[in-house]
Amino acid sequence: MKTKTVFFCNNCGHESPKWLGKCPGCGEWNTFVEEKVATVKGSGSKARSQEKARPVKLSEIEQGEETRIMMPSSEFNRVLGGGLVAGSLTLLGGEPGVGKSTLLLQNILSMRNKRILYVSGEESAPQLKMRADRLGKISEDTFILCETDLDNIFSQIENVKPDIIVIDSIQTVSNPALESAAGSVSQVRECAASLLRYAKSHNTPVILVGHINKDGAIAGPKVLEHIVDTVLQFEGDRQYLFRILRSIKNRFGSTSEIGIYEMVQKGLKEVTNPSQILLSDSFVEDMSGVAIGVTTEGVRPFLVEIQALVSSAAYGTPQRSVTGFDPRRLNMLLAVLEKRAKFRLGQKDVFLNIAGGLKITDPAIDLAVVAAVMSSNFDIAIPRDTAFIGEVGLSGEIRPVSRIEGRISEAAKMGMKQIFIPKGNLKGVTLNSSAEIFEVARVEQCFKKMTGR
């Protein structure tokens, strides 16, 4: 056994025999960490390596159909691109407590005719049994292994011969051939590479659960995301009920699909119609400061409720408080209203909230934000069956947005009878909608049509 000291980049996994201030691989500063690595001849990772490959002509390669395993959750299948591909390596990341383990556990417990090995390095077997009882599902073909040693994990995999393997989490697994601690750059990289070799050689899908760091990125070297076939991000505020499953990388499908879940007492419940969930039922017709916007997550449009409150500044300095929207973009929209539309908001407090706890970055809800602010400022209620779609520019113009046909269809399906859209956005679009469409070019024109003034 030989032990040597090497330095790894936390960001990209670049290896160097000495410490460097700037990583030559990714260009980041102060990312190198020192680790001791022991090299053992004929170690487990080498012994498990697949047989030698030989080059094959591209024309000689036979392309067969992708074998996909359908998960019980239709939202999960949508994000994966139509199911879990056999022989794939999938990484699921998310904040602590957001529901990663619950999502996987309730899916694998609902699968029939599939042998599944769930490897947990963070919870004990009784804890997992309690969670399974809470979910109300017990599967006879699901095996639980509480282990962090990679060699023992592979030994049990050979004994069980599962159809699907879940590792929760990859940061807790360690290769005994390496001296570094579990979760270090070298351990995460080597363990993930060993699991990838097994997945490809045995045509068995492997799902890895990954922690995230304080910046929201998946912990460990960036090479981990390069190794895997699919990277899924499970996100949501623990103070609210809704969770979003998002695809960041997918070699077998689109990265523009999302899945929406609601956290309930018995686990995660699929939200097939997010617009109906996100719009409040306790809406008062004559309540000002509320507007309906149409946003998209990936290719999926849905309606959100924008709430605004404008009041005179009580303490001299106006406040700007925002929840679920970019505060800098709100300041820009307020400046546009002040300069271009001549609405005096400089000495008023403005509070903005996206109902449901969602965080929206889509610029197409700019017009809905402006409508909610104007409604609260003039204390004029917007009819419940009115929706707004459009991006607001610095000169006060309302700019066209993408996927306008899908947005209008979703709004009409949810009972919207009046829809404000950017002027000229329907060029070349064949629209079949019963809703009345108002094309507006500037924010002041939208306000006039909205209020009749």
Side-chain angles (χ1 to χ4, degrees):
M1 179 185 292
K2 293 182 180 179
T3 303
K4 63 176 183 177
T5 300
V6 294
F7 293 85
F8 290 101
C9 172
N10 264 330
N11 188 50
C12 68
H14 183 85
E15 182 179 339
S16 172
K18 62 179 182 178
W19 186 87
L20 299 174
K22 183 179 180 181
C23 175
C26 61
E28 294 291 328
W29 288 86
N30 298 323
T31 56
F32 275 89
V33 293
E34 180 182 1
E35 292 183 12
K36 289 184 179 180
V37 178
T39 305
V40 181
K41 189 174 181 181
S43 64
S45 60
K46 294 290 184 184
R48 288 187 296 269
S49 61
Q50 56 190 5
E51 60 184 25
K52 301 294 183 181
R54 63 178 183 84
V56 182
K57 286 184 180 180
L58 185 62
S59 58
E60 296 177 356
I61 299 175
E62 295 182 2
Q63 184 179 3
E65 293 185 3
E66 288 179 347
T67 304
R68 290 184 179 264
I69 300 173
M70 300 304 292
M71 306 296 283
S73 169
S74 59
E75 297 287 301
F76 207 166
N77 289 324
R78 177 193 287 115
V79 177
L80 288 171
L84 195 63
V85 176
S88 64
L89 188 63
T90 303
L91 176 63
L92 175 63
E95 293 183 353
V98 76
K100 304 183 296 296
S101 301
T102 301
L103 175 66
L104 291 176
L105 199 59
Q106 75 177 33
N107 268 273
I108 64 175
L109 291 176
S110 300
M111 299 183 76
R112 298 293 180 262
N113 304 320
K114 293 293 180 184
R115 178 168 288 201
I116 301 164
L117 179 62
Y118 188 98
V119 182
S120 176
E122 299 176 344
E123 294 180 277
S124 64
Q127 284 179 305
L128 292 170
K129 180 64 166 61
M130 287 174 58
R131 179 174 294 181
D133 291 340
R134 179 172 58 85
L135 296 174
K137 298 174 182 178
I138 297 295
S139 173
E140 295 298 329
D141 288 331
T142 300
F143 295 83
I144 302 296
L145 173 64
C146 299
E147 182 59 80
T148 58
D149 186 281
L150 185 65
D151 284 344
N152 191 31
I153 290 172
F154 275 110
S155 298
Q156 299 305 321
I157 288 174
E158 293 299 326
N159 294 334
V160 176
K161 292 182 172 52
D163 299 314
I164 300 175
I165 302 170
V166 178
I167 308 292
D168 187 6
S169 68
I170 186 61
Q171 279 86 7
T172 62
V173 179
S174 62
N175 188 338
L178 303 177
E179 277 195 353
S180 52
S184 62
V185 175
S186 57
Q187 286 283 9
V188 171
R189 182 179 60 185
E190 290 301 318
C191 292
S194 298
L195 291 164
L196 176 67
R197 285 193 292 270
Y198 180 87
K200 300 301 181 187
S201 61
H202 292 75
N203 205 32
T204 302
V206 179
I207 302 176
L208 309 177
V209 176
H211 298 159
I212 65 171
N213 55 28
K214 62 181 179 181
D215 298 323
I218 295 175
K222 199 71 177 176
V223 71
L224 176 62
E225 297 181 41
H226 295 297
I227 288 175
V228 301
D229 297 308
T230 306
V231 180
L232 304 179
Q233 188 84 10
F234 200 42
E235 56 192 42
D237 194 330
R238 283 181 292 174
Q239 305 301 321
Y240 293 92
L241 300 177
F242 299 107
R243 306 285 189 268
I244 293 177
L245 182 65
R246 195 187 306 274
S247 176
I248 300 174
K249 169 189 175 182
N250 194 349
R251 289 175 178 160
F252 309 110
S254 172
T255 57
S256 59
E257 292 286 358
I258 67 161
I260 302 178
Y261 294 87
E262 181 183 7
M263 182 63 79
V264 295
Q265 187 175 1
K266 289 191 175 182
L268 291 161
K269 177 185 175 184
E270 295 182 26
V271 178
T272 56
N273 189 353
S275 299
Q276 192 172 12
I277 297 293
L278 295 172
L279 296 182
S280 173
D281 292 331
S282 59
F283 185 81
V284 182
E285 277 297 330
D286 58 351
M287 185 171 62
S288 63
V290 179
I292 305 299
V294 186
T295 184
T296 61
E297 282 284 354
V299 297
R300 190 175 186 182
F302 55 88
L303 276 62
V304 292
E305 187 176 299
I306 315 293
Q307 301 173 345
L309 178 63
V310 180
S311 62
S312 299
Y315 303 104
T317 304
Q319 298 183 60
R320 303 286 187 262
S321 180
V322 186
T323 304
F325 192 69
D326 187 359
R328 291 171 296 183
R329 192 158 189 88
L330 174 63
N331 289 333
M332 183 269 287
L333 295 175
L334 295 179
V336 169
L337 290 175
E338 182 92 20
K339 179 74 175 179
R340 306 296 181 187
K342 308 302 180 184
F343 295 134
R344 304 303 175 193
L345 301 171
Q347 296 302 316
K348 293 187 177 181
D349 294 334
V350 179
F351 304 93
L352 188 75
N353 176 51
I354 308 293
L358 291 180
K359 295 179 181 178
I360 306 295
T361 57
D362 185 6
I365 68 166
D366 285 354
L367 189 58
V369 171
V370 166
V373 170
M374 292 190 299
S375 169
S376 179
N377 184 50
F378 294 101
D379 201 19
I380 298 174
I382 299 174
R384 179 63 169 173
D385 56 2
T386 303
F388 299 87
I389 307 169
E391 178 184 355
V392 177
L394 288 176
S395 61
E397 82 279 13
I398 301 173
R399 304 174 60 85
V401 298
S402 62
R403 308 185 188 279
I404 187 66
E405 187 177 3
R407 295 175 194 262
I408 292 175
S409 294
E410 178 69 15
K413 186 175 75 175
M414 294 304 299
M416 299 296 127
K417 297 179 180 177
Q418 297 179 337
I419 305 174
F420 288 81
I421 67 168
K423 189 173 184 179
N425 208 164
L426 289 178
K427 286 182 179 178
V429 177
T430 303
L431 194 64
N432 184 16
S433 174
S434 58
E436 187 177 4
I437 306 298
F438 296 102
E439 296 190 65
V440 288
R442 301 187 61 82
V443 290
E444 55 267 31
Q445 184 183 354
C446 174
F447 180 71
K448 288 179 182 178
K449 284 194 175 183
M450 187 176 73
T451 60
R453 293 185 176 183

